[in-house]
Amino acid sequence: MSRLDTFVAPEPSVPLIKAMTVVNRVLMLRGVPGFRDLPPLNRIAGLRGIANVRHIDFPEADRARLAVVCGDGKATFITPNHPEFFTDWMIDKEIASHVCPLAAFWATNGVVNGLGRMAQKFWLANNLIAQIPGNSQAAREHSVGWALKGHGVLLHPEGSVGWHGDFVAPLMPGAAEMALEALKQSREAVRDLEVWIAPVVWKLAFIRDVEADLIKECAYVERSLKIEPAARTVALPDRVYRIYETLLSRDEEKSGIEPNRAALYAGRQDVLLSTMYRLLRDLLPEAEASASGDGIMRSARRFLRETGPADPELRKQVKSLSEAIARVQRVGDFAFSSETVTQEGLAEHVKRIRNDYCKGTMRDTLNRFLPQPAGPRRAYIRVPEPLAMHDFQGTPTDAMAEIRRRMQAALDEINEGLRLKTYRNPFHTG
C-alpha cells in the first residue's frame, strides 16, 4: 500500500483532535460573533462559519441516550444520516465531542488520500479512516479493534452524500457486520461486552428567508452549464426544475432519445436510465444480459478497478457512462413524493447540481469540498433508540433496516415540529 493509499494513521493525535473541536465550533460551524453579520466581513466564510450553522439544537435527553451506549465495556458504531458534504464531519465531530472524543470516522478515500500528503497527514491524525474501494478489509479490522477499546466508530451507512435532508436512503450493512464481528471477538475473549449501533439524525433549517440567495445561485448554475437564463418572473422551484429538466434532455439526446419536455420528469428518467443501463451493459465484456441496473453498475466498477490500460478508449466510455447514470439516479423518489417542497429542499437540489455538474473552475472545486449554504442555519440533532446487537437475532440487513426505520421516524418528528417555507413541488408525479 503506497503512502497515498493509506487507510488509517498508526495513532491519532489527541492534541490535534482537541484543537480541531474548538476550531470546528467557531470557524467551521458558528462563525465569529460581531463579524459574522457585519458586511462585508460576513462574506468571508471563516468569519461567518464555513457551514454557517449558527445554532445547534441537541437536547440533553438525546445526548444522554448516546452517551450511555459509549465508553468502556461497550463497542459502539454511530450511524448518522448523510444529507450534506463537509457539514457532515463538522456536525459529526460536534456530536462525538460530547460522548466519544476519540471516535474514528470513516471518510471517502478521495478526501483522506486524494488531496496530497500534507492533507492526508492532517486527516489521518484526526482519526479519519479512508474507505478505499475494493480494499476495505484492513479498515474494517481496524474499526472493530478501535470500537472494542471503547472509543467508538462513526460511519455514514447511506454511503455518499445524497443532498436529501428529509429522507434516509437504504442503508448499507457495514456497520452491522462490524458490530457482529466485534461481538464475536468479545465472546471469544470471554468478555462481557455490550455492542451497539447508535443511529443519529440531523436536520438543517434556514433561520431566515433565502429565496433571493437561491435565485442568485441558480443564475450562477445557468451560466456555468450554458443554460439560457430564466426570466425573472420564473418562480424559484420552477427555475430549479428547469435546470434539471434541461440536463435530463441533454442526457436523453446523448443516449439517442428524443426529449418529450411536456412529459413527467420521473417517467422520462426511468426510460433514460433503462437506455443508459443497456448501453453500459453492451460496453462491458462480462456483463450478463439479465443483470439488473445495480448489477450492471457493479460490473462497471469492477471493470474500472481491475482492468488495466489495454483499452483506454473503452475505459473512458465505461467511466463516462457510469458517472452519467449515477448523476441521473441521484434525483430519487424523495424528489417526487410530496406535493410541496421546502426552501431547504430546493437548496439541496441546487447543491446537488453544483456538485455533480459544475466543474472546471477553482470556484467549483472549492464548492465541492466546502459547499457554501445560501444563509445561516440551525441544526437539529436527535438520537433514536440505539440497537443492542448483543441481543439482536437478525441478519446485518435486518439490523440496518430497523436502524433506517428509527432514523426516518426521528427525522419525520423533527420536521413535524418545524415551520418551514414551502412551495409547490414541480417534480411531484401526482
Side-chain angles (χ1 to χ4, degrees), residues 70-132:
C70 294
D72 292 339
K74 304 175 184 71
T76 307
F77 296 85
I78 303 172
T79 57
N81 60 330
H82 207 194
E84 183 171 314
F85 188 76
F86 180 76
T87 309
D88 54 4
W89 193 50
M90 299 300 101
I91 291 182
D92 292 345
K93 286 283 286 184
E94 177 67 17
I95 293 168
S97 70
H98 292 280
V99 295
C100 49
L102 294 183
F105 299 80
W106 276 62
T108 177
N109 180 51
V111 169
V112 180
N113 292 331
L115 301 176
R117 290 178 179 171
M118 291 298 294
Q120 179 199 57
K121 184 177 180 180
F122 172 79
W123 292 122
L124 293 178
N126 269 282
N127 215 11
L128 264 68
I129 298 173
Q131 182 180 11
I132 301 173

Side-chain angles (χ1 to χ4, degrees), residues 141-347:
E141 292 173 358
H142 172 82
S143 298
V144 170
W146 196 254
L148 287 169
K149 294 179 180 179
H151 296 314
V153 174
L154 185 148
L155 65 161
H156 295 104
E158 288 180 282
S160 59
V161 172
W163 297 100
H164 42 69
D166 295 334
F167 171 74
V168 180
L171 307 182
M172 292 181 286
E177 291 170 349
M178 287 188 285
L180 289 175
E181 177 60 27
L183 184 61
K184 174 177 174 288
Q185 292 186 22
S186 71
R187 286 175 174 172
E188 289 174 348
V190 197
R191 294 180 61 190
D192 185 17
L193 193 74
E194 296 179 1
V195 179
W196 296 90
I197 299 178
V200 176
V201 294
W202 46 271
K203 160 77 178 181
L204 296 166
F206 293 114
I207 60 177
R208 64 170 174 81
D209 190 331
V210 295
E211 181 171 310
D213 304 271
L214 289 174
I215 288 173
K216 289 179 182 177
E217 194 164 7
C218 285
Y220 172 79
V221 170
E222 290 165 347
R223 291 193 304 271
S224 176
L225 300 179
K226 297 180 172 54
I227 296 173
E228 183 179 352
R232 292 185 177 181
T233 54
V234 176
L236 173 61
D238 295 316
R239 191 162 186 170
V240 173
Y241 179 86
R242 179 177 175 272
I243 294 172
Y244 263 114
E245 194 277 330
T246 301
L247 296 171
L248 186 73
S249 296
R250 291 178 181 178
D251 282 323
E252 287 174 323
E253 290 170 352
K254 289 178 183 177
S255 300
I257 300 172
E258 182 67 28
N260 178 5
R261 308 193 77 158
L264 291 173
Y265 188 101
R268 290 171 60 187
Q269 184 192 54
D270 286 342
V271 172
L272 173 60
L273 285 171
S274 295
T275 303
M276 296 172 89
Y277 283 137
R278 176 179 54 78
L279 293 172
L280 181 59
R281 182 193 63 206
D282 292 344
L283 287 174
L284 297 169
E286 298 182 4
E288 297 180 5
S290 60
S292 65
D294 288 343
I296 293 170
M297 290 294 279
R298 284 194 296 271
S299 296
R301 289 192 291 269
R302 185 168 56 251
F303 173 84
L304 293 172
R305 188 169 59 244
E306 298 176 357
T307 305
D311 193 339
E313 183 57 32
L314 178 59
R315 286 180 58 83
K316 181 179 178 181
Q317 292 178 25
V318 170
K319 184 174 186 293
S320 176
L321 189 50
S322 299
E323 291 175 347
I325 289 172
R327 286 194 298 268
V328 174
Q329 281 180 322
R330 277 157 63 78
V331 184
D333 292 342
F334 62 87
F336 312 125
S337 60
S338 176
E339 294 182 4
T340 60
V341 60
T342 64
Q343 198 167 83
E344 288 75 11
L346 292 174

